[in-house]
Amino acid sequence: MDTHAYPVTRTDAEWRARLTPEQYAVMRNHGTERPGSCALLYEKRAGTFFCVGCDQPLFESKLKFESGTGWPSFNDPVPGSIETTVDRSYGMVRTECHCSRCGSHLGHVFEDGPPPTGLRYCINGVALRFEPAA
């Protein structure tokens, strides 16, 4: 169980009221949405992607790229917005990424992305809210 204290905390009932059932399954129970199922996968406008759980800015659209995986992928997060932990589920070792403000599960980060970082933040689209640039 995660015992880390986050700046934004909610009761289970508050999370369930704020999130859709799919968002709750992904963000609070470390689930994964079906690949290719989220409209944000195809979002190409300039803007910012925010955490649905607490509205923290997570990724800028200029760092989004098409990875071919079926999930929105980014080179690098907004500084300080993402924390990582080791995920040993499903018989493999991966690096989970979660919101540094509310602890919500977002997806995983892999070391197979394009330059300049070589990273691929593979994010569940249901965990994100997109706001176009003004």
Side-chain angles (χ1 to χ4, degrees):
M1 173 156 189
D2 186 3
T3 58
H4 180 74
Y6 294 97
V8 172
T9 58
R10 294 186 169 83
T11 66
D12 187 63
E14 290 169 330
W15 281 117
R16 288 181 185 277
R18 180 178 180 94
L19 304 173
T20 68
E22 185 180 22
Q23 289 169 330
Y24 182 88
V26 168
M27 299 175 75
R28 305 314 301 168
N29 288 329
H30 303 265
T32 301
E33 69 188 358
R34 282 187 348 269
S37 66
C38 179
L40 290 181
L41 177 62
Y42 308 103
E43 181 59 65
K44 305 225 185 277
R45 295 175 289 172
T48 305
F49 293 85
F50 294 83
C51 175
V52 170
C54 68
D55 297 317
Q56 173 167 250
L58 298 173
F59 299 98
E60 296 296 330
S61 61
K62 65 185 174 194
L63 296 177
K64 184 176 184 276
F65 65 94
E66 178 51 56
S67 66
T69 61
W71 292 278
S73 297
F74 303 87
N75 286 106
D76 218 10
V78 170
S81 67
I82 302 288
E83 292 179 349
T84 61
T85 55
V86 174
D87 176 1
R88 290 187 169 86
S89 63
Y90 302 105
M92 62 182 106
V93 178
R94 300 178 291 175
T95 302
E96 177 200 354
C97 53
H98 53 272
C99 177
S100 66
R101 190 180 197 183
C102 70
S104 290
H105 171 75
L106 302 170
H108 293 86
V109 61
F110 302 95
E111 295 180 354
D112 62 0
T117 66
L119 298 176
R120 174 175 54 93
Y121 285 82
C122 187
I123 306 299
N124 289 285
V126 297
L128 303 174
R129 175 179 61 79
F130 179 72
E131 195 170 296

